[in-house]
Amino acid sequence: MRASFLVMGGMLAIEKRGKVALPGGCAIGARPVDLHLKGFEALGAKINIEHGYVEATTENGLIGGNIVLDFPSVGATENIIMAAVKAKGKTILENAAKEPEIEDLCNFLIKMGAKITGVGTSRLEIDGVEKLTACEYSIIADRIVAGTYIIASILFDGSIKVSGIIPEHLSSFLLKLEEMGAKFKIEGDKLEVLSKLSDLKPVKVTTMPHPGFPTDLQSPMMTLMCLVNGASEIKETIFENRFMHVPELNRMGAKIEIDSSTAKITGVENFSSAEVMASDLRAGASLILAALKANGESLVNRVYHVDRGYENFEEKFKALGANIERIKTEA
């Protein structure tokens, strides 16, 4: 898994060395780890890449430094933060990612004794400490999971209420849905959709780093757009290969054309059943949503991708009355 590379920063901070396999993960683009490694080097680590592994070493521990990310990478920001919290001296990280998950990581580390200022901004100052202590901490709700269920509720005319959300983490997503004509009732951490699928009109979406429209909601959003009357558009600016679900949605009766980094979607009345394949985590979720809405029985293969980002996905829909089963197919 790509997320496994995030152990490197902590290993460097605690053990002064680390050896981690180059990451794999979803096939949605190149997603190199060069920004992670440049950050580690700026903190004094020596990097060696050999036989599919990255080895980082430091003789006397990391030393604070100034780092400017070429792109506000979430993973690189997280890895550098975890490395810098125990580095000697001050680290200044510019053009840091500002996703809510970064803020949550910082708050967790601060509770453990780390000294981090600028939390929630693109400029983080980290004063290294000698020791971190154990703590109890509750992580934030997953905004992408929440967004997926909100889209599901719109697809089924507001029949699903979503609880446990943090509305401010979904602001750009909800604003785009409102632009489409969707209406919501939000009370605390509960959201109820008040409009029907037929109320929606087409829009244009461009994925951006936070606080822009999240790339991880692009695939489920496309499923919704497929059933909105008129011409919608999605421009993907984060990953160069994140339209792998398009041929599969087209197999289910969607009308989507790709022009470079832009998907042009012409609304259809409904999806038709088909056998399709999930190429990655969010693509899998989008295909399951389409299959739930389609006439007839559909088969979505490689749903193991979905398990990495959604807990008990099919069980939650089954509890809502969906006719959905996970089956084992022959290799």
Side-chain angles (χ1 to χ4, degrees):
M1 282 179 63
R2 181 171 180 79
S4 63
F5 198 72
L6 290 175
V7 302
M8 180 67 89
M11 290 170 73
L12 273 173
I14 305 296
E15 301 295 339
K16 301 180 181 178
R17 65 180 296 272
K19 185 177 181 180
V20 182
L22 283 167
C26 292
I28 57 176
R31 302 199 297 174
V33 293
D34 58 321
L35 297 179
H36 302 239
L37 302 183
K38 287 178 183 176
F40 296 150
E41 287 177 324
L43 299 176
K46 293 182 179 179
I47 306 295
N48 182 50
I49 303 175
E50 198 171 45
H51 305 304
Y53 283 83
V54 177
E55 186 168 14
T57 56
T58 170
E59 292 183 7
N60 299 308
L62 298 173
I63 299 170
N66 294 335
I67 303 166
V68 180
L69 293 178
D70 295 332
F71 177 83
S73 161
V74 173
T77 299
E78 292 168 336
N79 234 344
I80 292 166
I81 289 170
M82 289 187 284
V85 289
K86 293 197 70 180
K88 298 181 181 73
K90 181 190 289 288
T91 297
I92 297 176
L93 178 58
E94 302 271 11
N95 199 28
K98 296 183 289 185
E99 272 71 4
E101 295 77 20
I102 302 291
E103 190 171 344
D104 201 41
L105 173 62
C106 289
N107 289 335
F108 170 59
L109 290 168
I110 289 168
K111 194 169 183 181
M112 295 179 75
K115 294 181 178 179
I116 308 171
T117 58
V119 177
T121 75
S122 60
R123 187 180 194 272
L124 298 173
E125 292 191 16
I126 305 165
D127 288 296
V129 296
E130 288 189 10
K131 186 179 180 182
L132 297 174
T133 56
C135 75
E136 185 172 324
Y137 190 85
S138 295
I139 63 172
I140 58 173
D142 189 314
R143 61 199 169 98
I144 307 303
V145 172
T148 304
Y149 288 124
I150 291 168
I151 287 172
S153 187
I154 296 173
L155 284 169
F156 291 95
D157 293 336
S159 57
I160 302 169
K161 294 179 182 178
V162 185
S163 63
I165 70 167
I166 304 173
E168 55 267 32
H169 291 175
L170 292 161
S171 56
S172 60
F173 168 68
L174 294 178
L175 282 171
K176 190 56 68 172
L177 289 181
E178 287 177 340
E179 187 182 332
M180 295 175 78
K183 293 181 174 60
F184 313 102
K185 178 183 177 182
I186 300 176
E187 292 182 345
D189 69 346
K190 294 180 175 62
L191 183 146
E192 181 179 357
V193 176
L194 302 178
S195 48
K196 298 182 182 298
L197 177 60
S198 58
D199 296 333
L200 270 56
K201 58 182 183 290
V203 294
K204 293 183 179 181
V205 168
T206 301
T207 62
M208 298 287 285
H210 190 78
F213 191 94
T215 180
D216 279 351
L217 281 173
Q218 178 254 103
S219 305
M221 188 70 162
M222 187 180 291
T223 296
L224 177 62
M225 287 175 161
C226 286
L227 300 184
V228 174
N229 188 37
S232 298
E233 196 172 284
I234 296 179
K235 184 175 183 179
E236 173 62 52
T237 70
I238 308 298
F239 296 115
E240 72 273 17
N241 198 24
R242 201 158 201 179
F243 286 146
M244 295 178 72
H245 53 290
V246 168
E248 305 303 289
L249 286 174
N250 283 342
R251 282 170 62 86
M252 300 183 74
K255 292 183 179 179
I256 310 167
E257 294 181 0
I258 303 298
D259 182 7
S260 185
S261 61
T262 301
K264 298 179 180 180
I265 305 128
T266 302
V268 297
E269 189 172 333
N270 198 6
F271 294 108
S272 56
S273 58
E275 181 172 349
V276 292
M277 183 181 70
S279 56
D280 59 80
L281 165 55
R282 308 303 172 187
S286 72
L287 294 173
I288 291 171
L289 292 181
L292 287 169
K293 190 69 178 174
N295 296 317
E297 182 179 281
S298 296
L299 181 64
V300 182
N301 293 296
R302 295 188 182 179
V303 291
Y304 54 81
H305 286 299
V306 177
D307 294 333
R308 294 195 288 106
Y310 298 89
E311 186 177 18
N312 300 324
F313 200 46
E314 72 271 19
E315 294 301 324
K316 285 186 168 68
F317 281 116
K318 193 183 293 184
L320 292 165
N323 185 0
I324 179 172
E325 294 288 342
R326 182 182 294 238
I327 60 173
K328 287 187 177 181
T329 56
E330 294 182 7

